[in-house]
Amino acid sequence: MIHRLRIGIFAALLVALGGMRPLVAQSLTAGALKGMVRAADGSLLSGASVTIETPGGGTFLNLESGEDGSFQVRMMLPGSYHVLVELVGFQPIRLRGVVIGAGRTTTVTATLIERPPPITSVTEVDQSGVATGASGRIVSGRSLTTLDRRFDATDAFRDQSEIVQPMDGRGGLAVAAQGLAARWSRLFVDGVPEQLLRHPGLPGEPLAAPVFARDGTDQGQLIASAVDLEWRGVSGSLLGLQSRRGDNRFRFSPFVSWSGSSAGGKSLDNPADSSATSLQVGASVSGAIKPDTAHFYLGGSYQSLETPSAWAWESDTSRYLGQPVSLRETIPEIGADNFGSQLRSSVAPAIRTWKGGTAASRIDWQLNSTSAFVMRAGFASWKETNPSLSRYAANDAGGALSGRDLTLAASILTTGAAYSNEVRVGLSSAKRDWKRSGPPSVELIGENVRFGANTALPALFESRTASLSEAVRYDQGKHSVKGGLTFDHTSYRQRYQYGEAGIYQFGDLDRFGSATGAYFQSASDAPEVKFSILSPGLFLQDSYEVSSGLRLLFGARWETQLIPRNRITLNREWADLSGIATDSVFADRRGIQPHFGFILDPGNRGVWILQGDLGLYADGVDPAAFAEAIGHDGSVRVSRRIGALTGWPNPPAASDAGVRLTLLRGDESYRAPRTLKGSMGLTGALAGGLTVRFTGSYRHSDFLLRRNDLNRSAAASASTQEGRLVYGTLVQQGALITSAVGSSRRFSTFDLVSALTPTGFSDHYELTASLERQVSGPVSLAGSYTFSRTRDNLVGLLQADPADQLSPFPGGVDGADWDTGRSDLDVPHRVTAMAEYHGTGRLPLTLSIRGRWRSGLTFTPGFSPGVDVNGDLGGNNDPVTTDAVGSLGGSEVMATCDGSAVGIYAARNSCRDRGVGSMDVRLAIGLPVGGGGRLAFTVDAFNLVATRGGISDHAAVVIDPARTITSANDVLTLPFLANPRFGTLLSRRTEPRLIRFGLRMEY
């Protein structure tokens, strides 16, 4: 039995607003509907009865088309609706699956055909409508829970090509969006800013917010350009979510799913023969506290996920004491025999686990005919072991994460005949506590193998935000003016030092056995950093209807940050030696951010709509960079040693390499990051509910932070046979080359002295074509292709080691700027496709298929990680010459290199990893249950087909351990050797194939 759904929580409010004119974007939590009623000959039809229905068949709102054939509804709750249009003498028509999105205006057209009475039927037409306002495809309904390997709502956008997806086993939103790292993206839930956090020390980590589960979400959309100025401006993308709400109908929806290695797993993904047992269970309940007045939603879930992984390295062969050996067997033997250390678990395939739960609630209360109150709360707590981290971290196992998220938000909406006022408050906190386990990090340079603790662990990151916003809208004639204020107070707590647990580097397996190599460790006297930032903002905009088919939006936003001025202390010794102060107080200079937008609907037909926007966006200081500047004020000391490392895995008696400092340059040079973004989009409604969209966008960002070393020797001490300048005394240990301790330092009492200067830029343009059919009918489709290009001068953008973020040629190459080139985040081709058939009847069957593919990430052909051929402390930032790359020409693995160069050196990011892709399938069979409920048995096949991807060998040249460095007339001849394994897979990191069985009920 289908219960008749009565008017929703804002029914009286919507009736009062039914005749008002819609804005480009009225609210961050509500949308608008605009329609036109026409006859088959194109003439406009007035007086038509328009009934807006809920998917359950209830009447949501009744109104009539005006003299110009139009009808309009403002402030509609996001969701899917049906629109029934009737007029005497015409065949009635029902437009099914009309999607209303937050901050968007959906336009539909009803074409009526004349027909004499009696009329006993209704023509059913699928038409999701053409949306304007916030850009990006809406994810709602079944799309939120289909193929939900992870419950985090940020993981529900894997079928959108506008973002660069990880596709290597990591969860979260994206590796990059709009050509910028994921950390530039922001999350808003119900218009309130929320925490989106992972590991700030790893810039390429996809961000996640487990407190917001898919089942607790009504709708979500990625927004590249925020046309409405009520959004806080950011250079990257916005992820806007709408939390789930209750209505008059009581609903109870439990679910459970199970998967294991016996159900479809591959031995290649699971060499340790893990059971891979995973359990996911949860339930939600919603309904009316008082019908048509107060409603509630409660939901919770628990996950115990176990994910196997492949061997840490693909090639297992090496030599030890002159004999061929297996690395997997010999490393544990060396550990036990030579050092009394058990290493078998350190080299075994990691078993990743995720265990935790989430809870969410929401209450909606219609106070009176003009006011409504909403309050929600959520909590999440979980633990991960061996979490998958960035490919630039030294190891992908041997760690654990404890996470906790908390959110609380409330809003009050008040409206009148010509105005509305919405006030929102929010409190949120996120904590990520990373622990290390096992021995310290070990890198075998000759074998290109890593094991032990991750170099980015341990770490603690915690942030708390209190936010307040108010937006007031006023309509007068053809103008709709909106203005307001925002206020965010965020406190940060951080404890993180790269290499705190120690990093060992050995030239090969023999030198590991004799504990001869290089050692690095950083330690702080005051490891924890705390600070708070206050961010107020004001905005004002006007949406002006020039004509019935053209609307313009003008506005500006002003924002600033109040940054603590006494947290970065003066290092007197450095100031006396260099004449450069470390305690410069910098100002936030974001200033006024103007915006312009337009919507063109030729003939006001709602069939093809052109819209565009152009705006200036400004971000505040990067909290991770500010925390580094506070912590690296003289309290961080670095220990280094080259040669005998006796006592491994215990720290050796290392030399004091000096103090590490980080400077944020003062008022004379610091500028807040600034971005100019513009986009143009053409959206059209085709027959059968199909919507096609073509979008082009451009982004240019300035004043991005780049790292420079102020303590590198002022002059080179030598050069290599290829003319490369060398700034220290190079020491060779087999395949490992490092700089002698202190030899490349300008002042011996200091190690790396980083100046984070706002001289970086990033250019990005993007073209996307998408086709979508998200309607209530049996077949839904969604597919998109994105082409993009990104250029910047941000060397080491994704690197974990600060030294690897240094330019190898800070003075350029033969007068040319080597740093400027293809970005680390340049992923030119991305394709996603989703198709779903949803049957009806007593035993409905649903079949869903999702496919994804993207280009591989870029890289610079260089040397093995750890090889520092110019002595600047960066062991993963030196390019090889084009001759070296050319010597490998003709090999299949070189097909991804374009051969571009700057001088004699390979251009930055002139090579690319192979593309990666996967296909997922879901089959759901409905089972009959009594009492009006629905029960479905589901079978999910994740990564049923997937490419073989992971970390490839980026070293075009290796160091020949059989030869040594020679010197003559200040020219060093390094024993270079072409790497025959260049481009081959070092470590397999893909999402394993698994089959999951589940039950989901809706009552």
Side-chain angles (χ1 to χ4, degrees):
M1 174 180 175
I2 300 178
H3 295 276
R4 180 177 178 82
L5 182 62
R6 289 177 287 179
I7 299 175
I9 186 173
F10 295 138
L13 175 62
L14 295 176
V15 170
L17 295 174
M20 293 179 130
R21 186 176 303 277
L23 305 181
V24 171
Q26 305 81 2
S27 168
L28 305 190
T29 56
L33 174 65
K34 176 182 176 181
M36 186 69 63
V37 182
R38 296 178 179 272
D41 60 3
S43 59
L44 304 176
L45 298 177
S46 62
S49 173
V50 179
T51 304
I52 301 175
E53 304 171 335
T54 65
T59 299
F60 186 77
L61 193 64
N62 292 300
L63 61 157
E64 288 187 354
S65 61
E67 293 182 1
D68 59 354
S70 67
F71 60 91
Q72 307 170 59
V73 183
R74 298 190 61 252
M75 304 295 286
M76 291 182 65
L77 293 175
S80 178
Y81 299 85
H82 302 324
V83 178
L84 174 64
V85 182
E86 301 171 290
L87 184 62
V88 176
F90 291 84
Q91 171 69 25
I93 186 173
R94 175 179 284 111
L95 308 179
R96 302 189 306 172
V98 176
V99 177
I100 302 299
R104 301 158 68 113
T105 297
T106 300
T107 302
V108 297
T109 300
T111 303
L112 302 184
I113 300 175
E114 289 190 74
R115 181 176 176 181
I119 298 175
T120 59
S121 63
V122 176
T123 300
E124 305 280 343
V125 177
D126 289 328
Q127 185 180 134
S128 55
V130 178
T132 59
S135 60
R137 181 167 67 85
I138 289 178
V139 177
S140 61
R142 293 193 300 265
S143 298
L144 281 167
T145 55
T146 298
L147 297 167
D148 53 344
R149 169 60 176 164
R150 297 177 179 87
F151 287 170
D152 190 339
T154 61
D155 209 59
F157 296 84
R158 297 209 157 193
D159 58 345
Q160 298 202 18
S161 64
E162 290 86 343
I163 57 176
V164 179
Q165 303 165 17
M167 300 184 73
D168 58 1
R170 291 178 292 170
L173 179 60
V175 174
Q178 289 286 297
L180 294 171
R183 65 185 179 86
W184 292 91
S185 298
R186 297 292 183 270
L187 170 65
F188 286 81
V189 181
D190 301 325
V192 177
E194 296 287 351
Q195 305 290 336
L196 196 57
L197 184 64
R198 183 68 172 167
H199 190 311
L202 300 173
E205 278 299 279
L207 303 181
V211 69
F212 299 106
R214 293 175 182 239
D215 275 78
T217 303
D218 259 348
Q219 191 180 91
Q221 56 182 316
L222 280 169
I223 304 172
S225 298
V227 179
D228 193 314
L229 288 167
E230 190 177 351
W231 296 105
R232 277 77 153 175
V234 296
S235 298
S237 293
L238 297 174
L239 175 60
L241 302 178
Q242 304 298 317
S243 61
R244 180 152 294 183
R245 60 186 184 274
D247 51 39
N248 285 345
R249 178 181 175 181
F250 176 80
R251 303 173 189 268
F252 175 59
S253 304
F255 63 89
V256 62
S257 64
W258 173 90
S259 62
S261 62
S262 59
K266 295 191 297 185
S267 59
L268 186 63
D269 296 327
N270 188 14
D273 197 24
S274 164
S275 66
T277 301
S278 297
L279 176 68
Q280 296 170 298
V281 60
S284 65
V285 58
S286 62
I289 301 173
K290 182 179 181 182
D292 297 333
T293 301
H295 303 82
F296 74 94
Y297 168 84
L298 293 172
S301 63
Y302 172 80
Q303 297 182 88
S304 178
L305 305 179
E306 186 174 287
T307 306
S309 66
W311 289 102
W313 50 84
E314 287 284 288
S315 176
D316 189 47
T317 59
S318 185
R319 298 186 68 84
Y320 182 59
L321 302 178
Q323 301 296 319
V325 295
S326 163
L327 286 168
R328 297 164 188 162
E329 296 296 328
T330 306
I331 289 175
E333 291 174 1
I334 293 175
D337 297 342
N338 297 17
F339 309 111
S341 180
Q342 299 301 315
L343 299 180
R344 192 160 297 278
S345 61
S346 298
V347 302
I351 307 299
R352 314 188 196 284
T353 65
W354 197 107
K355 295 184 179 181
T358 65
S361 64
R362 172 168 166 157
I363 293 177
D364 296 80
W365 186 7
Q366 186 67 45
L367 301 175
N368 51 51
S369 62
T370 60
S371 300
F373 171 76
V374 177
M375 184 174 69
R376 61 168 171 81
F379 175 77
S381 178
W382 72 97
K383 292 184 177 180
E384 299 180 55
T385 61
N386 297 318
S388 183
L389 291 170
S390 167
R391 66 173 181 167
Y392 297 98
N395 191 26
D396 206 25
L401 167 65
S402 297
R404 186 197 66 213
D405 283 357
L406 178 65
T407 177
L408 177 66
S411 64
I412 296 179
L413 171 64
T414 304
T415 189
Y419 80 95
S420 67
N421 180 34
E422 192 164 8
V423 179
R424 301 186 187 92
V425 295
L427 299 172
S428 63
S429 70
K431 182 180 179 180
R432 308 289 185 265
D433 190 2
W434 302 82
K435 304 294 186 182
R436 63 167 285 255
S437 59
S441 173
V442 175
E443 303 176 19
L444 304 182
I445 307 303
E447 289 79 6
N448 215 334
V449 162
R450 304 171 181 183
F451 63 91
N454 194 291
T455 56
L457 304 183
L460 171 68
F461 305 99
E462 185 174 12
S463 61
R464 299 178 180 179
T465 296
S467 67
L468 169 67
S469 66
E470 180 175 22
V472 179
R473 175 199 55 80
Y474 178 73
D475 292 337
Q476 180 63 46
K478 294 186 176 183
H479 292 269
S480 292
V481 180
K482 184 164 128 177
L485 60 87
T486 59
F487 180 93
D488 298 327
H489 180 271
T490 305
S491 61
Y492 298 92
R493 176 187 173 206
Q494 176 172 312
R495 185 171 66 242
Y496 173 60
Q497 303 289 337
Y498 175 81
E500 179 182 343
I503 302 172
Y504 289 84
Q505 295 176 324
F506 301 101
D508 49 38
L509 201 56
D510 285 324
R511 286 173 172 80
F512 171 57
S514 62
T516 303
Y519 174 76
F520 165 85
Q521 186 179 32
S522 63
S524 176
D525 298 331
E528 193 162 283
V529 172
K530 295 181 180 180
F531 61 94
S532 298
I533 294 178
L534 184 64
S535 302
L538 300 170
F539 72 94
L540 180 65
Q541 68 184 34
D542 178 20
S543 176
Y544 172 60
E545 185 180 29
V546 179
S547 64
S548 61
L550 177 63
R551 179 170 287 276
L552 303 179
L553 184 142
F554 302 90
R557 185 176 182 89
W558 174 85
E559 290 178 304
T560 191
Q561 281 187 326
L562 303 179
I563 303 170
R565 294 175 173 264
N566 59 348
R567 298 308 315 278
I568 302 177
T569 59
L570 174 67
N571 187 286
R572 176 60 63 184
E573 182 182 0
W574 170 260
D576 292 342
L577 289 172
S578 66
I580 301 174
T582 62
D583 62 342
S584 298
V585 177
F586 56 93
D588 183 285
R589 300 176 179 174
R590 285 191 279 185
I592 302 296
Q593 303 164 41
H595 287 250
F596 166 77
F598 74 90
I599 294 176
L600 177 62
D601 181 4
N604 205 25
R605 297 177 62 90
V607 178
W608 289 95
I609 295 180
L610 180 69
Q611 70 174 33
D613 62 270
L614 180 67
L616 189 66
Y617 300 79
D619 293 86
V621 64
D622 180 2
F626 190 46
E628 181 183 333
I630 295 174
H632 289 65
D633 60 351
S635 60
V636 177
R637 305 201 66 85
V638 170
S639 298
R640 297 182 185 271
R641 183 177 177 86
I642 297 177
L645 306 176
T646 55
W648 186 93
N650 298 315
S655 301
D656 185 351
V659 172
R660 278 201 166 183
L661 300 178
T662 297
L663 287 68
L664 284 171
R665 303 307 296 269
D667 288 336
E668 71 281 1
S669 61
Y670 178 81
R671 293 290 301 272
R674 181 182 63 186
T675 294
L676 176 68
K677 285 200 292 187
S679 67
M680 187 82 72
L682 177 65
T683 306
L686 306 180
L690 289 171
T691 301
V692 63
R693 183 182 298 111
F694 302 95
T695 305
S697 64
Y698 173 75
R699 175 195 54 78
H700 177 82
S701 299
D702 279 318
F703 309 125
L704 306 180
L705 294 179
R706 303 170 69 200
R707 189 179 299 270
N708 301 297
D709 184 7
L710 300 182
N711 197 38
R712 194 196 66 182
S713 296
S717 59
S719 63
T720 66
Q721 69 265 38
E722 43 184 13
R724 189 191 311 260
L725 298 180
V726 178
Y727 294 91
T729 302
L730 300 186
V731 178
Q732 180 187 359
Q733 300 178 86
L736 172 64
I737 289 182
T738 52
S739 177
V741 178
S743 64
S744 65
R745 300 297 86 197
R746 181 183 174 195
F747 304 112
S748 59
T749 54
F750 292 90
D751 190 68
L752 175 66
V753 178
S754 297
L756 300 180
T757 58
T759 56
F761 80 92
S762 175
D763 269 315
H764 174 82
Y765 66 84
E766 185 171 291
L767 301 172
T768 297
S770 64
L771 183 68
E772 181 181 3
R773 188 180 191 271
Q774 299 284 0
V775 294
S776 58
V779 178
S780 294
L781 301 170
S784 64
Y785 165 73
T786 296
F787 171 80
S788 65
R789 289 294 190 192
T790 308
R791 286 177 58 84
D792 60 33
N793 61 351
L794 306 175
V795 176
L797 175 62
L798 301 178
Q799 295 286 354
D801 186 349
D804 291 338
Q805 300 167 14
L806 301 172
S807 169
F809 307 110
V813 177
D814 297 332
D817 182 9
W818 182 89
D819 298 358
T820 298
R822 186 180 293 154
S823 172
D824 295 0
L825 297 173
D826 180 68
V827 183
H829 303 288
R830 306 188 293 276
V831 182
T832 63
M834 181 83 175
E836 182 177 89
Y837 169 79
H838 186 69
T840 58
R842 183 171 174 79
L843 299 175
L845 181 145
T846 300
L847 177 64
S848 306
I849 301 176
R850 178 177 66 188
R852 300 173 291 153
W853 185 89
R854 66 162 172 81
S855 303
L857 295 178
T858 59
F859 68 91
T860 304
F863 302 88
S864 299
V867 175
D868 182 11
V869 295
N870 69 344
D872 66 349
L873 301 184
N876 199 21
N877 67 339
D878 296 314
V880 298
T881 63
T882 53
D883 288 343
V885 177
S887 67
L888 298 176
S891 172
E892 179 186 353
V893 299
M894 289 303 300
T896 57
C897 293
D898 62 16
S900 58
V902 177
I904 65 170
Y905 299 102
R908 176 171 164 252
N909 289 328
S910 54
C911 295
R912 185 181 301 280
D913 286 331
R914 295 188 179 279
V916 290
S918 68
M919 184 180 73
D920 309 318
V921 178
R922 160 174 280 197
L923 176 66
I925 302 174
L927 305 176
V929 295
R934 293 184 298 171
L935 179 67
F937 173 71
T938 61
V939 181
D940 296 300
F942 295 96
N943 302 294
L944 187 62
V945 178
T947 56
R948 178 174 174 264
I951 301 175
S952 60
D953 194 337
H954 295 167
V957 171
V958 295
I959 303 302
D960 186 353
R963 296 182 290 145
T964 60
I965 300 174
T966 60
S967 175
N969 300 322
D970 293 331
V971 175
L972 304 178
T973 301
L974 276 58
F976 291 153
L977 182 67
N979 181 14
R981 299 185 299 179
F982 176 64
T984 60
L985 195 63
L986 287 175
S987 177
R988 181 182 174 90
R989 291 191 185 181
T990 56
E991 300 174 349
R993 185 178 70 193
L994 64 92
I995 308 296
R996 185 182 69 179
F997 304 94
L999 288 173
R1000 180 178 289 270
M1001 186 179 77
E1002 293 184 8
Y1003 177 80

